[in-house]
Amino acid sequence: LCGCGLLGVGIWLSVSQGNFATFSPSFPSFSAANLVIAIGTIIMVTGFLGCLGAIKENKCLLLSFFIILLIILLAELILLILFFVYMDKVNENAKKDLKEGLQLYNTENNVGLKNAWNIIQAEMHCCGVTDYTDWFPVLGTNVVPDRCCMENSQDCGRNSTDLVWKTGCYEKVKMWFEDNKHVLGTVGMCILIMQILGMAFSMTLFQQIHRTGKKYDA
C-alpha cells in the first residue's frame, strides 16, 4: 500500500507538476516526480513478491523477495560508505554541477529548473549555490532572481543586492540536514530494521515450507 501510494503521488507530480524538474543538468531525469515513482515502484514490487510468496507459500517468490531486499540493503550500505569516504569530492562536484545548472535558469524547455530554484530560495531564505553572486554571470551584475529578495516583489532582484538573502542554498540545505540529523537517523534506522525483519521473516517462512516438503507452485 505504501508503494502504491508513493507511485500515485509520483505520477500525480509528473502529470500536474511536470515543470518541477531537477537542479542538476548532469542528471536531467533525477526529478522529484521520477524519484518518487522509482521508490514507489520498487517498494510495490518488493512488497507484492513478499505478500504473494507468503500467501501462496511459494519458495521462489520468498527467495526473490529476500534477494531483492538484500541487494537494496547492500546498495544502501555501499552508497553510504562511499558518500562518507568521498564527502569532500561529492560536495565539490555537487556545487560545480549546481552552478552549471544556473546557466539554464532562463533558457527554454527548462521551466522546471527555474521553478525548483525559485521554490527553494523562497522557502529556505537563500540565494545561489554558495552565495548570491553566483547569479551575476547568469543574469547580469547585481541582478538576482526576485525570489532571493527578503521582501519579494516584481523586479526586486534588480540592483538591490543589499536586500537579498546572502547565504547560499547549498549551505542552507547542509544546515537543514545537520539540524534534522537525529530525525533522519531515526527514519534510516526504522527502514533498516524493517528490511532486516522482512529478510528474517521471508527466510523463516522459506525454511518452514522447505521442511514441510512444499513444492514450487506453478
PDB file of all heavy atoms in Angstrom, residues 176-197:
ATOM      1  N   TRP A 176      20.187  22.343   7.153  1.00  0.00           N
ATOM      2  CA  TRP A 176      18.917  21.656   7.424  1.00  0.00           C
ATOM      3  C   TRP A 176      19.159  20.191   7.774  1.00  0.00           C
ATOM      4  O   TRP A 176      18.566  19.654   8.712  1.00  0.00           O
ATOM      5  CB  TRP A 176      18.005  21.761   6.204  1.00  0.00           C
ATOM      6  CG  TRP A 176      16.654  21.152   6.434  1.00  0.00           C
ATOM      7  CD1 TRP A 176      15.543  21.749   6.945  1.00  0.00           C
ATOM      8  CD2 TRP A 176      16.279  19.785   6.157  1.00  0.00           C
ATOM      9  NE1 TRP A 176      14.497  20.862   7.009  1.00  0.00           N
ATOM     10  CE2 TRP A 176      14.911  19.652   6.536  1.00  0.00           C
ATOM     11  CE3 TRP A 176      16.953  18.684   5.633  1.00  0.00           C
ATOM     12  CZ2 TRP A 176      14.225  18.447   6.410  1.00  0.00           C
ATOM     13  CZ3 TRP A 176      16.266  17.481   5.506  1.00  0.00           C
ATOM     14  CH2 TRP A 176      14.922  17.380   5.888  1.00  0.00           C
ATOM     15  N   PHE A 177      20.044  19.545   7.007  1.00  0.00           N
ATOM     16  CA  PHE A 177      20.363  18.144   7.299  1.00  0.00           C
ATOM     17  C   PHE A 177      21.035  18.013   8.663  1.00  0.00           C
ATOM     18  O   PHE A 177      20.772  17.060   9.399  1.00  0.00           O
ATOM     19  CB  PHE A 177      21.278  17.576   6.205  1.00  0.00           C
ATOM     20  CG  PHE A 177      20.539  17.080   5.003  1.00  0.00           C
ATOM     21  CD1 PHE A 177      20.530  17.807   3.815  1.00  0.00           C
ATOM     22  CD2 PHE A 177      19.845  15.885   5.045  1.00  0.00           C
ATOM     23  CE1 PHE A 177      19.837  17.349   2.708  1.00  0.00           C
ATOM     24  CE2 PHE A 177      19.149  15.414   3.932  1.00  0.00           C
ATOM     25  CZ  PHE A 177      19.153  16.149   2.758  1.00  0.00           C
ATOM     26  N   GLU A 178      21.888  18.966   8.987  1.00  0.00           N
ATOM     27  CA  GLU A 178      22.569  18.933  10.288  1.00  0.00           C
ATOM     28  C   GLU A 178      21.570  19.103  11.419  1.00  0.00           C
ATOM     29  O   GLU A 178      21.657  18.400  12.442  1.00  0.00           O
ATOM     30  CB  GLU A 178      23.627  20.051  10.340  1.00  0.00           C
ATOM     31  CG  GLU A 178      24.465  20.064  11.599  1.00  0.00           C
ATOM     32  CD  GLU A 178      25.388  18.876  11.713  1.00  0.00           C
ATOM     33  OE1 GLU A 178      25.721  18.274  10.672  1.00  0.00           O
ATOM     34  OE2 GLU A 178      25.767  18.542  12.847  1.00  0.00           O
ATOM     35  N   ASP A 179      20.620  20.018  11.258  1.00  0.00           N
ATOM     36  CA  ASP A 179      19.624  20.262  12.303  1.00  0.00           C
ATOM     37  C   ASP A 179      18.656  19.094  12.463  1.00  0.00           C
ATOM     38  O   ASP A 179      18.082  18.899  13.542  1.00  0.00           O
ATOM     39  CB  ASP A 179      18.834  21.542  11.990  1.00  0.00           C
ATOM     40  CG  ASP A 179      19.689  22.789  12.066  1.00  0.00           C
ATOM     41  OD1 ASP A 179      20.762  22.737  12.708  1.00  0.00           O
ATOM     42  OD2 ASP A 179      19.314  23.813  11.468  1.00  0.00           O
ATOM     43  N   ASN A 180      18.447  18.341  11.394  1.00  0.00           N
ATOM     44  CA  ASN A 180      17.468  17.246  11.425  1.00  0.00           C
ATOM     45  C   ASN A 180      18.124  15.875  11.340  1.00  0.00           C
ATOM     46  O   ASN A 180      17.452  14.899  10.994  1.00  0.00           O
ATOM     47  CB  ASN A 180      16.477  17.412  10.274  1.00  0.00           C
ATOM     48  CG  ASN A 180      15.615  18.654  10.408  1.00  0.00           C
ATOM     49  OD1 ASN A 180      14.601  18.660  11.091  1.00  0.00           O
ATOM     50  ND2 ASN A 180      16.037  19.732   9.745  1.00  0.00           N
ATOM     51  N   LYS A 181      19.409  15.801  11.669  1.00  0.00           N
ATOM     52  CA  LYS A 181      20.120  14.532  11.521  1.00  0.00           C
ATOM     53  C   LYS A 181      19.570  13.452  12.446  1.00  0.00           C
ATOM     54  O   LYS A 181      19.575  12.265  12.098  1.00  0.00           O
ATOM     55  CB  LYS A 181      21.620  14.727  11.761  1.00  0.00           C
ATOM     56  CG  LYS A 181      21.988  15.236  13.140  1.00  0.00           C
ATOM     57  CD  LYS A 181      23.487  15.452  13.237  1.00  0.00           C
ATOM     58  CE  LYS A 181      23.882  15.992  14.611  1.00  0.00           C
ATOM     59  NZ  LYS A 181      25.342  16.237  14.703  1.00  0.00           N
ATOM     60  N   HIS A 182      19.068  13.851  13.630  1.00  0.00           N
ATOM     61  CA  HIS A 182      18.506  12.847  14.539  1.00  0.00           C
ATOM     62  C   HIS A 182      17.213  12.256  13.966  1.00  0.00           C
ATOM     63  O   HIS A 182      16.957  11.053  14.106  1.00  0.00           O
ATOM     64  CB  HIS A 182      18.247  13.464  15.910  1.00  0.00           C
ATOM     65  CG  HIS A 182      17.325  14.640  15.901  1.00  0.00           C
ATOM     66  ND1 HIS A 182      17.711  15.872  15.397  1.00  0.00           N
ATOM     67  CD2 HIS A 182      16.041  14.789  16.315  1.00  0.00           C
ATOM     68  CE1 HIS A 182      16.703  16.720  15.512  1.00  0.00           C
ATOM     69  NE2 HIS A 182      15.670  16.084  16.062  1.00  0.00           N
ATOM     70  N   VAL A 183      16.410  13.099  13.320  1.00  0.00           N
ATOM     71  CA  VAL A 183      15.175  12.606  12.707  1.00  0.00           C
ATOM     72  C   VAL A 183      15.504  11.708  11.519  1.00  0.00           C
ATOM     73  O   VAL A 183      14.927  10.617  11.358  1.00  0.00           O
ATOM     74  CB  VAL A 183      14.284  13.775  12.248  1.00  0.00           C
ATOM     75  CG1 VAL A 183      13.042  13.267  11.546  1.00  0.00           C
ATOM     76  CG2 VAL A 183      13.906  14.652  13.429  1.00  0.00           C
ATOM     77  N   LEU A 184      16.444  12.153  10.675  1.00  0.00           N
ATOM     78  CA  LEU A 184      16.839  11.365   9.515  1.00  0.00           C
ATOM     79  C   LEU A 184      17.473  10.048   9.950  1.00  0.00           C
ATOM     80  O   LEU A 184      17.234   9.001   9.322  1.00  0.00           O
ATOM     81  CB  LEU A 184      17.827  12.163   8.652  1.00  0.00           C
ATOM     82  CG  LEU A 184      17.282  13.454   8.044  1.00  0.00           C
ATOM     83  CD1 LEU A 184      18.396  14.228   7.351  1.00  0.00           C
ATOM     84  CD2 LEU A 184      16.162  13.155   7.060  1.00  0.00           C
ATOM     85  N   GLY A 185      18.256  10.094  11.023  1.00  0.00           N
ATOM     86  CA  GLY A 185      18.869   8.872  11.547  1.00  0.00           C
ATOM     87  C   GLY A 185      17.825   7.893  12.046  1.00  0.00           C
ATOM     88  O   GLY A 185      17.934   6.683  11.827  1.00  0.00           O
ATOM     89  N   THR A 186      16.812   8.420  12.734  1.00  0.00           N
ATOM     90  CA  THR A 186      15.729   7.560  13.237  1.00  0.00           C
ATOM     91  C   THR A 186      14.963   6.916  12.096  1.00  0.00           C
ATOM     92  O   THR A 186      14.664   5.715  12.128  1.00  0.00           O
ATOM     93  CB  THR A 186      14.760   8.381  14.107  1.00  0.00           C
ATOM     94  OG1 THR A 186      15.479   8.976  15.192  1.00  0.00           O
ATOM     95  CG2 THR A 186      13.659   7.497  14.663  1.00  0.00           C
ATOM     96  N   VAL A 187      14.653   7.713  11.069  1.00  0.00           N
ATOM     97  CA  VAL A 187      13.956   7.172   9.898  1.00  0.00           C
ATOM     98  C   VAL A 187      14.804   6.101   9.215  1.00  0.00           C
ATOM     99  O   VAL A 187      14.304   5.040   8.830  1.00  0.00           O
ATOM    100  CB  VAL A 187      13.614   8.299   8.906  1.00  0.00           C
ATOM    101  CG1 VAL A 187      13.058   7.732   7.612  1.00  0.00           C
ATOM    102  CG2 VAL A 187      12.613   9.275   9.519  1.00  0.00           C
ATOM    103  N   GLY A 188      16.103   6.385   9.085  1.00  0.00           N
ATOM    104  CA  GLY A 188      17.005   5.415   8.467  1.00  0.00           C
ATOM    105  C   GLY A 188      17.068   4.111   9.245  1.00  0.00           C
ATOM    106  O   GLY A 188      17.063   3.022   8.660  1.00  0.00           O
ATOM    107  N   MET A 189      17.125   4.218  10.570  1.00  0.00           N
ATOM    108  CA  MET A 189      17.174   3.019  11.402  1.00  0.00           C
ATOM    109  C   MET A 189      15.875   2.225  11.286  1.00  0.00           C
ATOM    110  O   MET A 189      15.896   0.986  11.249  1.00  0.00           O
ATOM    111  CB  MET A 189      17.429   3.401  12.855  1.00  0.00           C
ATOM    112  CG  MET A 189      18.862   3.821  13.151  1.00  0.00           C
ATOM    113  SD  MET A 189      20.061   2.515  12.762  1.00  0.00           S
ATOM    114  CE  MET A 189      19.510   1.223  13.872  1.00  0.00           C
ATOM    115  N   CYS A 190      14.740   2.919  11.232  1.00  0.00           N
ATOM    116  CA  CYS A 190      13.446   2.233  11.085  1.00  0.00           C
ATOM    117  C   CYS A 190      13.383   1.477   9.759  1.00  0.00           C
ATOM    118  O   CYS A 190      12.919   0.326   9.710  1.00  0.00           O
ATOM    119  CB  CYS A 190      12.306   3.242  11.173  1.00  0.00           C
ATOM    120  SG  CYS A 190      12.051   3.943  12.826  1.00  0.00           S
ATOM    121  N   ILE A 191      13.861   2.123   8.688  1.00  0.00           N
ATOM    122  CA  ILE A 191      13.877   1.461   7.373  1.00  0.00           C
ATOM    123  C   ILE A 191      14.792   0.245   7.404  1.00  0.00           C
ATOM    124  O   ILE A 191      14.449  -0.831   6.883  1.00  0.00           O
ATOM    125  CB  ILE A 191      14.324   2.451   6.286  1.00  0.00           C
ATOM    126  CG1 ILE A 191      13.289   3.572   6.123  1.00  0.00           C
ATOM    127  CG2 ILE A 191      14.544   1.735   4.952  1.00  0.00           C
ATOM    128  CD1 ILE A 191      13.706   4.662   5.169  1.00  0.00           C
ATOM    129  N   LEU A 192      15.968   0.404   8.047  1.00  0.00           N
ATOM    130  CA  LEU A 192      16.919  -0.709   8.144  1.00  0.00           C
ATOM    131  C   LEU A 192      16.323  -1.878   8.920  1.00  0.00           C
ATOM    132  O   LEU A 192      16.442  -3.038   8.503  1.00  0.00           O
ATOM    133  CB  LEU A 192      18.200  -0.224   8.818  1.00  0.00           C
ATOM    134  CG  LEU A 192      19.293  -1.277   9.036  1.00  0.00           C
ATOM    135  CD1 LEU A 192      19.781  -1.811   7.697  1.00  0.00           C
ATOM    136  CD2 LEU A 192      20.454  -0.689   9.830  1.00  0.00           C
ATOM    137  N   ILE A 193      15.663  -1.578  10.033  1.00  0.00           N
ATOM    138  CA  ILE A 193      15.044  -2.635  10.849  1.00  0.00           C
ATOM    139  C   ILE A 193      13.940  -3.348  10.067  1.00  0.00           C
ATOM    140  O   ILE A 193      13.829  -4.581  10.107  1.00  0.00           O
ATOM    141  CB  ILE A 193      14.485  -2.037  12.161  1.00  0.00           C
ATOM    142  CG1 ILE A 193      15.646  -1.586  13.062  1.00  0.00           C
ATOM    143  CG2 ILE A 193      13.616  -3.057  12.900  1.00  0.00           C
ATOM    144  CD1 ILE A 193      15.210  -0.806  14.275  1.00  0.00           C
ATOM    145  N   MET A 194      13.134  -2.571   9.332  1.00  0.00           N
ATOM    146  CA  MET A 194      12.063  -3.170   8.535  1.00  0.00           C
ATOM    147  C   MET A 194      12.634  -4.099   7.454  1.00  0.00           C
ATOM    148  O   MET A 194      12.082  -5.173   7.187  1.00  0.00           O
ATOM    149  CB  MET A 194      11.209  -2.080   7.895  1.00  0.00           C
ATOM    150  CG  MET A 194      10.338  -1.310   8.877  1.00  0.00           C
ATOM    151  SD  MET A 194       9.451   0.062   8.106  1.00  0.00           S
ATOM    152  CE  MET A 194       8.428  -0.818   6.927  1.00  0.00           C
ATOM    153  N   GLN A 195      13.726  -3.682   6.834  1.00  0.00           N
ATOM    154  CA  GLN A 195      14.352  -4.517   5.814  1.00  0.00           C
ATOM    155  C   GLN A 195      14.893  -5.813   6.414  1.00  0.00           C
ATOM    156  O   GLN A 195      14.700  -6.896   5.849  1.00  0.00           O
ATOM    157  CB  GLN A 195      15.480  -3.742   5.123  1.00  0.00           C
ATOM    158  CG  GLN A 195      14.995  -2.628   4.227  1.00  0.00           C
ATOM    159  CD  GLN A 195      16.146  -1.816   3.660  1.00  0.00           C
ATOM    160  OE1 GLN A 195      17.124  -1.537   4.345  1.00  0.00           O
ATOM    161  NE2 GLN A 195      16.032  -1.428   2.404  1.00  0.00           N
ATOM    162  N   ILE A 196      15.571  -5.693   7.554  1.00  0.00           N
ATOM    163  CA  ILE A 196      16.133  -6.882   8.199  1.00  0.00           C
ATOM    164  C   ILE A 196      15.027  -7.822   8.666  1.00  0.00           C
ATOM    165  O   ILE A 196      15.118  -9.046   8.502  1.00  0.00           O
ATOM    166  CB  ILE A 196      17.033  -6.465   9.384  1.00  0.00           C
ATOM    167  CG1 ILE A 196      18.269  -5.713   8.854  1.00  0.00           C
ATOM    168  CG2 ILE A 196      17.465  -7.689  10.187  1.00  0.00           C
ATOM    169  CD1 ILE A 196      19.158  -5.149   9.945  1.00  0.00           C
ATOM    170  N   LEU A 197      13.957  -7.263   9.243  1.00  0.00           N
ATOM    171  CA  LEU A 197      12.833  -8.092   9.679  1.00  0.00           C
ATOM    172  C   LEU A 197      12.165  -8.791   8.483  1.00  0.00           C
ATOM    173  O   LEU A 197      11.794  -9.961   8.565  1.00  0.00           O
ATOM    174  CB  LEU A 197      11.806  -7.241  10.430  1.00  0.00           C
ATOM    175  CG  LEU A 197      12.198  -6.780  11.837  1.00  0.00           C
ATOM    176  CD1 LEU A 197      11.125  -5.864  12.418  1.00  0.00           C
ATOM    177  CD2 LEU A 197      12.425  -7.980  12.755  1.00  0.00           C
TER     178      LEU A 197
END
